[in-house]
Amino acid sequence: MKITNVMYLPSGRIFLINVDNYIIEATEMRDVSVDGKQHIEVRETNDPHVIWKHLVEYKEKWLLTVSTQRGCTHSCQFCDVAKLPFRGNLTQNEIEAQVRLILENTPHVKESRKVKIGFARMGEPAWNLNNVIGAMKNLPMISNELGRQFRWLPCFNSILPRKADCISAVVETKERDFKGFLHFQISCNSTNEEKRKELFGGADVLSIEEIIKQINNINITKRTVTLNFIVIDGVEVSVKKLKKMGLNKDKFTVKLIPLNNTLIAQENDLKTYANYSNYEKLLQLRTSFEQEGIPVVVDAIAKCEEAGLCCGQLAQIFQ
Ligand code: SF4
């Protein structure tokens, strides 16, 4: 495994890594602090200097992602990984090696209160569960070996394919091994199940109602489970439906994310519901969740980082 290319964004880097002649991606980014007026400035700028001014210190937060598969078996209509060929799971060693590569190439980051690592760059981690969970558990060992003082926050991001049946294993790892300090994020994207299936390229995934039922019956501490909605023009996101399904504010948070301008989204004629020019629409949607007492966050990225941040886009170029 070796790095073949490194692409720079204002807030971090994307590593293109060759594993047995297949290019996978891993990333390291700093968070961008955004408040009030600065938020608009940061979101809409094309000037990296503006981003640099608002970067969060590594010692506060550092954001990493690693790939879990060579490509992905799914064909989500919004994700450029779907355009790459699928060449199987990465081993636990190969997942851990990406973490080592990032750390070795960032020797100046010695300590951090929160290193959030998404096992979600390329691949659906539910299909590689044991290797992903094994790698998560070894994170403290890896950082100790490399002389870093990190508090890890692993993130398991999944569309929850029905047959992969991973909810209990992920929650058990969260509660038992990470004392609740693991972020479980579930892709939802629409409250209309037919539309969801279409967006996931026909994948047989657990319905949101089934997800809510299962999670409501499990003990969840510290980090709540996040239901991610990439907001797409003309695609239903109904707060009322979610309430009716039993969405419990002590177990769940909703995250609203503008649709990135991916190549495949363009091909499928998907447009974001809101982003840079009409950001207030996103805030209105946020308010409708807040009014129902549902914890909600908005996760928008800066315009000038959008291209490189889309999973699988660079790998396509360098394959
Ligand atoms: S969103 Fe996830 S599951 Fe869907 S194609 Fe991309 S990597 Fe695969």
mmCIF file of all heavy atoms in Angstrom, residues 69 71-83 120-125 157-159 187 199-200 311, ligand 1:
data_model
loop_
_atom_site.group_PDB
_atom_site.id
_atom_site.type_symbol
_atom_site.label_atom_id
_atom_site.label_comp_id
_atom_site.label_asym_id
_atom_site.label_seq_id
_atom_site.Cartn_x
_atom_site.Cartn_y
_atom_site.Cartn_z
ATOM 1 N N GLN A 69 -13.712 -0.485 1.592
ATOM 2 C CA GLN A 69 -13.786 -1.432 0.471
ATOM 3 C C GLN A 69 -13.092 -0.811 -0.740
ATOM 4 O O GLN A 69 -12.912 0.406 -0.797
ATOM 5 C CB GLN A 69 -15.256 -1.698 0.088
ATOM 6 C CG GLN A 69 -16.083 -2.332 1.188
ATOM 7 C CD GLN A 69 -17.493 -2.673 0.713
ATOM 8 O OE1 GLN A 69 -18.242 -1.792 0.301
ATOM 9 N NE2 GLN A 69 -17.846 -3.949 0.786
ATOM 10 N N GLY A 71 -13.971 0.341 -3.887
ATOM 11 C CA GLY A 71 -15.248 0.652 -4.521
ATOM 12 C C GLY A 71 -16.396 0.294 -3.593
ATOM 13 O O GLY A 71 -16.228 0.278 -2.361
ATOM 14 N N CYS A 72 -17.539 -0.029 -4.173
ATOM 15 C CA CYS A 72 -18.714 -0.329 -3.358
ATOM 16 C C CYS A 72 -19.667 -1.173 -4.202
ATOM 17 O O CYS A 72 -19.727 -1.011 -5.423
ATOM 18 C CB CYS A 72 -19.392 0.987 -2.952
ATOM 19 S SG CYS A 72 -20.828 0.772 -1.912
ATOM 20 N N THR A 73 -20.408 -2.050 -3.525
ATOM 21 C CA THR A 73 -21.343 -2.888 -4.282
ATOM 22 C C THR A 73 -22.608 -2.117 -4.649
ATOM 23 O O THR A 73 -23.388 -2.571 -5.480
ATOM 24 C CB THR A 73 -21.787 -4.121 -3.467
ATOM 25 O OG1 THR A 73 -22.278 -3.656 -2.218
ATOM 26 C CG2 THR A 73 -20.669 -5.096 -3.265
ATOM 27 N N HIS A 74 -22.824 -0.971 -4.002
ATOM 28 C CA HIS A 74 -24.066 -0.231 -4.231
ATOM 29 C C HIS A 74 -23.888 0.838 -5.312
ATOM 30 O O HIS A 74 -22.768 1.200 -5.669
ATOM 31 C CB HIS A 74 -24.547 0.401 -2.921
ATOM 32 C CG HIS A 74 -24.892 -0.635 -1.905
ATOM 33 N ND1 HIS A 74 -25.977 -1.457 -2.038
ATOM 34 C CD2 HIS A 74 -24.252 -1.026 -0.763
ATOM 35 C CE1 HIS A 74 -26.011 -2.308 -1.020
ATOM 36 N NE2 HIS A 74 -24.977 -2.069 -0.237
ATOM 37 N N SER A 75 -25.028 1.320 -5.788
ATOM 38 C CA SER A 75 -25.005 2.303 -6.877
ATOM 39 C C SER A 75 -25.860 3.502 -6.498
ATOM 40 O O SER A 75 -26.830 3.817 -7.206
ATOM 41 C CB SER A 75 -25.568 1.680 -8.148
ATOM 42 O OG SER A 75 -24.931 0.467 -8.404
ATOM 43 N N CYS A 76 -25.532 4.122 -5.384
ATOM 44 C CA CYS A 76 -26.344 5.259 -4.932
ATOM 45 C C CYS A 76 -26.286 6.366 -5.992
ATOM 46 O O CYS A 76 -25.216 6.633 -6.558
ATOM 47 C CB CYS A 76 -25.852 5.749 -3.584
ATOM 48 S SG CYS A 76 -25.992 4.464 -2.329
ATOM 49 N N GLN A 77 -27.427 6.994 -6.178
ATOM 50 C CA GLN A 77 -27.540 7.958 -7.287
ATOM 51 C C GLN A 77 -26.807 9.269 -7.030
ATOM 52 O O GLN A 77 -26.745 10.113 -7.910
ATOM 53 C CB GLN A 77 -29.024 8.263 -7.534
ATOM 54 C CG GLN A 77 -29.793 7.099 -8.090
ATOM 55 C CD GLN A 77 -31.200 7.502 -8.488
ATOM 56 O OE1 GLN A 77 -31.720 8.501 -7.997
ATOM 57 N NE2 GLN A 77 -31.819 6.740 -9.363
ATOM 58 N N PHE A 78 -26.292 9.446 -5.808
ATOM 59 C CA PHE A 78 -25.677 10.726 -5.436
ATOM 60 C C PHE A 78 -24.184 10.587 -5.128
ATOM 61 O O PHE A 78 -23.532 11.561 -4.782
ATOM 62 C CB PHE A 78 -26.398 11.312 -4.203
ATOM 63 C CG PHE A 78 -26.579 10.275 -3.112
ATOM 64 C CD1 PHE A 78 -25.589 10.056 -2.188
ATOM 65 C CD2 PHE A 78 -27.730 9.502 -3.069
ATOM 66 C CE1 PHE A 78 -25.732 9.083 -1.219
ATOM 67 C CE2 PHE A 78 -27.892 8.523 -2.093
ATOM 68 C CZ PHE A 78 -26.895 8.321 -1.166
ATOM 69 N N CYS A 79 -23.640 9.361 -5.239
ATOM 70 C CA CYS A 79 -22.276 9.118 -4.727
ATOM 71 C C CYS A 79 -21.361 8.629 -5.840
ATOM 72 O O CYS A 79 -21.640 7.617 -6.489
ATOM 73 C CB CYS A 79 -22.345 8.082 -3.609
ATOM 74 S SG CYS A 79 -20.737 7.512 -3.078
ATOM 75 N N ASP A 80 -20.254 9.317 -6.039
ATOM 76 C CA ASP A 80 -19.363 8.980 -7.152
ATOM 77 C C ASP A 80 -18.591 7.681 -6.954
ATOM 78 O O ASP A 80 -17.989 7.174 -7.906
ATOM 79 C CB ASP A 80 -18.399 10.145 -7.419
ATOM 80 C CG ASP A 80 -19.087 11.254 -8.212
ATOM 81 O OD1 ASP A 80 -20.097 10.964 -8.879
ATOM 82 O OD2 ASP A 80 -18.631 12.412 -8.141
ATOM 83 N N VAL A 81 -18.606 7.126 -5.745
ATOM 84 C CA VAL A 81 -17.978 5.811 -5.552
ATOM 85 C C VAL A 81 -18.694 4.773 -6.418
ATOM 86 O O VAL A 81 -18.092 3.821 -6.915
ATOM 87 C CB VAL A 81 -18.018 5.394 -4.055
ATOM 88 C CG1 VAL A 81 -17.463 3.993 -3.874
ATOM 89 C CG2 VAL A 81 -17.223 6.380 -3.209
ATOM 90 N N ALA A 82 -19.998 5.008 -6.617
ATOM 91 C CA ALA A 82 -20.797 4.071 -7.419
ATOM 92 C C ALA A 82 -20.268 3.939 -8.842
ATOM 93 O O ALA A 82 -20.541 2.949 -9.525
ATOM 94 C CB ALA A 82 -22.256 4.530 -7.435
ATOM 95 N N LYS A 83 -19.512 4.910 -9.306
ATOM 96 C CA LYS A 83 -19.007 4.879 -10.683
ATOM 97 C C LYS A 83 -17.735 4.022 -10.815
ATOM 98 O O LYS A 83 -17.277 3.767 -11.917
ATOM 99 C CB LYS A 83 -18.709 6.313 -11.162
ATOM 100 C CG LYS A 83 -19.985 7.137 -11.362
ATOM 101 C CD LYS A 83 -19.662 8.593 -11.639
ATOM 102 C CE LYS A 83 -19.286 8.887 -13.067
ATOM 103 N NZ LYS A 83 -20.395 8.894 -14.011
ATOM 104 N N ALA A 120 -15.851 5.673 6.080
ATOM 105 C CA ALA A 120 -16.920 6.033 5.169
ATOM 106 C C ALA A 120 -16.453 6.788 3.953
ATOM 107 O O ALA A 120 -17.187 7.605 3.435
ATOM 108 C CB ALA A 120 -17.901 6.913 5.924
ATOM 109 N N ARG A 121 -15.259 6.555 3.528
ATOM 110 C CA ARG A 121 -14.864 7.280 2.327
ATOM 111 C C ARG A 121 -15.344 6.489 1.112
ATOM 112 O O ARG A 121 -16.202 6.908 0.373
ATOM 113 C CB ARG A 121 -13.335 7.485 2.317
ATOM 114 C CG ARG A 121 -12.841 8.315 1.168
ATOM 115 C CD ARG A 121 -13.222 9.776 1.288
ATOM 116 N NE ARG A 121 -12.971 10.496 0.053
ATOM 117 C CZ ARG A 121 -13.259 11.761 -0.148
ATOM 118 N NH1 ARG A 121 -13.814 12.478 0.823
ATOM 119 N NH2 ARG A 121 -13.008 12.343 -1.284
ATOM 120 N N MET A 122 -14.799 5.318 0.992
ATOM 121 C CA MET A 122 -15.166 4.474 -0.136
ATOM 122 C C MET A 122 -15.632 3.152 0.456
ATOM 123 O O MET A 122 -14.929 2.527 1.243
ATOM 124 C CB MET A 122 -13.899 4.260 -0.966
ATOM 125 C CG MET A 122 -14.104 3.817 -2.354
ATOM 126 S SD MET A 122 -12.489 3.602 -3.106
ATOM 127 C CE MET A 122 -12.254 5.139 -3.923
ATOM 128 N N GLY A 123 -16.865 2.733 0.114
ATOM 129 C CA GLY A 123 -17.351 1.440 0.597
ATOM 130 C C GLY A 123 -18.476 1.548 1.603
ATOM 131 O O GLY A 123 -18.659 2.578 2.234
ATOM 132 N N GLU A 124 -19.223 0.470 1.732
ATOM 133 C CA GLU A 124 -20.305 0.381 2.710
ATOM 134 C C GLU A 124 -19.781 -0.490 3.858
ATOM 135 O O GLU A 124 -19.623 -1.704 3.701
ATOM 136 C CB GLU A 124 -21.553 -0.240 2.050
ATOM 137 C CG GLU A 124 -22.639 -0.692 2.991
ATOM 138 C CD GLU A 124 -22.989 0.306 4.082
ATOM 139 O OE1 GLU A 124 -23.536 1.372 3.783
ATOM 140 O OE2 GLU A 124 -22.709 0.009 5.262
ATOM 141 N N PRO A 125 -19.508 0.115 5.023
ATOM 142 C CA PRO A 125 -18.834 -0.634 6.089
ATOM 143 C C PRO A 125 -19.627 -1.818 6.638
ATOM 144 O O PRO A 125 -19.050 -2.747 7.189
ATOM 145 C CB PRO A 125 -18.608 0.429 7.183
ATOM 146 C CG PRO A 125 -19.543 1.540 6.868
ATOM 147 C CD PRO A 125 -19.746 1.516 5.395
ATOM 148 N N ASN A 157 -20.765 5.003 9.308
ATOM 149 C CA ASN A 157 -21.789 5.612 8.438
ATOM 150 C C ASN A 157 -22.298 4.550 7.485
ATOM 151 O O ASN A 157 -21.520 4.006 6.711
ATOM 152 C CB ASN A 157 -21.186 6.723 7.575
ATOM 153 C CG ASN A 157 -20.538 7.806 8.398
ATOM 154 O OD1 ASN A 157 -19.722 7.522 9.264
ATOM 155 N ND2 ASN A 157 -20.878 9.034 8.136
ATOM 156 N N SER A 158 -23.603 4.321 7.503
ATOM 157 C CA SER A 158 -24.108 3.194 6.705
ATOM 158 C C SER A 158 -25.472 3.497 6.102
ATOM 159 O O SER A 158 -26.254 4.262 6.661
ATOM 160 C CB SER A 158 -24.217 1.965 7.619
ATOM 161 O OG SER A 158 -24.777 0.886 6.927
ATOM 162 N N ILE A 159 -25.745 2.839 4.969
ATOM 163 C CA ILE A 159 -27.104 2.899 4.426
ATOM 164 C C ILE A 159 -27.947 1.766 5.028
ATOM 165 O O ILE A 159 -29.124 1.654 4.754
ATOM 166 C CB ILE A 159 -27.129 2.839 2.873
ATOM 167 C CG1 ILE A 159 -26.630 1.500 2.343
ATOM 168 C CG2 ILE A 159 -26.325 3.974 2.250
ATOM 169 C CD1 ILE A 159 -26.893 1.310 0.829
ATOM 170 N N SER A 187 -27.687 6.722 6.785
ATOM 171 C CA SER A 187 -28.167 7.475 5.613
ATOM 172 C C SER A 187 -29.655 7.254 5.456
ATOM 173 O O SER A 187 -30.100 6.112 5.346
ATOM 174 C CB SER A 187 -27.502 6.957 4.338
ATOM 175 O OG SER A 187 -26.188 7.378 4.298
ATOM 176 N N LEU A 199 -32.973 6.179 -4.606
ATOM 177 C CA LEU A 199 -31.733 6.944 -4.378
ATOM 178 C C LEU A 199 -30.565 6.020 -4.046
ATOM 179 O O LEU A 199 -29.421 6.305 -4.382
ATOM 180 C CB LEU A 199 -31.934 7.958 -3.247
ATOM 181 C CG LEU A 199 -32.838 9.142 -3.557
ATOM 182 C CD1 LEU A 199 -33.166 9.928 -2.287
ATOM 183 C CD2 LEU A 199 -32.204 10.066 -4.591
ATOM 184 N N PHE A 200 -30.875 4.899 -3.355
ATOM 185 C CA PHE A 200 -29.823 3.939 -3.019
ATOM 186 C C PHE A 200 -29.613 2.932 -4.155
ATOM 187 O O PHE A 200 -29.098 1.827 -3.937
ATOM 188 C CB PHE A 200 -30.154 3.195 -1.720
ATOM 189 C CG PHE A 200 -30.114 4.070 -0.479
ATOM 190 C CD1 PHE A 200 -31.045 3.910 0.525
ATOM 191 C CD2 PHE A 200 -29.141 5.039 -0.327
ATOM 192 C CE1 PHE A 200 -31.004 4.713 1.663
ATOM 193 C CE2 PHE A 200 -29.097 5.842 0.805
ATOM 194 C CZ PHE A 200 -30.031 5.685 1.809
ATOM 195 N N CYS A 311 -16.723 11.871 -2.227
ATOM 196 C CA CYS A 311 -16.071 10.563 -2.190
ATOM 197 C C CYS A 311 -16.005 9.944 -3.587
ATOM 198 O O CYS A 311 -17.003 9.943 -4.311
ATOM 199 C CB CYS A 311 -16.841 9.609 -1.285
ATOM 200 S SG CYS A 311 -17.127 10.259 0.355
HETATM 201 S S1 SF4 B 1 -23.125 6.227 -0.565
HETATM 202 FE FE1 SF4 B 1 -22.040 4.589 0.452
HETATM 203 S S2 SF4 B 1 -23.236 2.760 -0.082
HETATM 204 FE FE2 SF4 B 1 -23.816 4.328 -1.566
HETATM 205 S S3 SF4 B 1 -22.425 4.042 -3.338
HETATM 206 FE FE3 SF4 B 1 -21.482 5.564 -1.967
HETATM 207 S S4 SF4 B 1 -20.088 4.389 -0.672
HETATM 208 FE FE4 SF4 B 1 -21.574 2.939 -1.589
#
